Amino acid sequence: MYYVLQVAPGKEADTEAYITKRVADELYSSCFHPVRCVRKKFHGEWKDRHEKLLPGYVFMSSENAEELYLALKDIPMLTKFLGWDLEYVTALTGQETEWLEALVSAGRDGRTTGEVSLSRIEVDENDEIKILSGPLQNMEGMVKRINLHKRIAEVEVEFMGRMTVIHLGIEMVEKKSTEK
């Protein structure tokens, strides 16, 4: 189950490093802050950039929320454990877990890296958009808008009980012609 930690913006990587050094490995299976790959144009050339997907949040996967909470409560960068009540901790819902896992990739050791890669899309001569590969595949119903100029897809997801728009990077392949 995934749990969400709220941290000061800009302290996601520091919090993650602190947790991996000070919290026992058996209390969690992954700890990450999602980072998206986007393409931005600089001086007429497209460059890949890595940006935080949800600034101020660190995600952890664990089967023992109470022990994890006790281990985390002394971490200085931690603002709060989202969903914590006096008696229990609320994990991400099944739907929230689905989109999170669909976006982030797992590393060689099986731990989630938190990297959200570019999705490849194709635009035909009728301006129909087709998602060819990447994290946006099978998420078509959640895509609210695609900005071809900025190479960004706006995706609406439920996060901690409310609808949130996240921006994911896209890469366009050449327009296909239907003529033979």
Side-chain angles (χ1 to χ4, degrees), residues 34-159:
V35 176
R36 66 179 175 215
C37 182
V38 293
R39 303 200 95 200
K40 297 211 173 178
K41 204 171 206 177
F42 293 101
H43 306 292
E45 195 175 319
W46 288 100
K47 304 241 183 210
D48 287 352
R49 303 270 314 199
H50 297 279
E51 301 174 348
K52 293 171 190 151
L53 180 65
L54 294 161
Y57 297 103
V58 172
F59 293 80
M60 293 189 77
S61 178
S62 176
E63 296 303 319
N64 193 338
E66 289 179 37
E67 281 189 44
L68 180 63
Y69 172 76
L70 293 173
L72 293 173
K73 71 178 187 170
D74 295 327
I75 292 180
M77 292 80 92
L78 182 64
T79 304
K80 69 179 177 178
F81 207 118
L82 294 186
W84 176 255
D85 192 341
L86 293 175
E87 297 178 22
Y88 64 92
V89 178
T90 304
L92 291 181
T93 65
Q95 185 178 15
E96 292 168 333
T97 298
E98 277 182 36
W99 69 256
L100 182 64
E101 288 179 341
L103 294 181
V104 297
S105 57
R108 289 187 187 125
D109 61 356
R111 290 190 179 235
T112 303
T113 63
E115 178 77 28
V116 182
S117 61
L118 292 170
S119 289
R120 292 180 49 137
I121 67 164
E122 174 183 271
V123 182
D124 67 18
E125 61 186 25
N126 297 324
D127 289 331
E128 294 288 323
I129 295 171
K130 180 180 179 186
I131 299 167
L132 301 175
S133 64
L136 287 176
Q137 263 189 323
N138 303 319
M139 294 182 80
E140 287 87 354
M142 300 166 94
V143 176
K144 296 301 172 197
R145 183 171 175 257
I146 291 187
N147 185 330
L148 296 175
H149 179 72
K150 290 187 176 183
R151 304 285 202 268
I152 294 289
E154 294 178 10
V155 181
E156 189 175 47
V157 296
E158 186 172 337
F159 177 58

Side-chain angles (χ1 to χ4, degrees), residues 157-170:
V157 296
E158 186 172 337
F159 177 58
M160 297 307 294
R162 64 180 139 158
M163 298 310 285
T164 303
V165 175
I166 57 175
H167 298 90
L168 302 177
I170 57 172

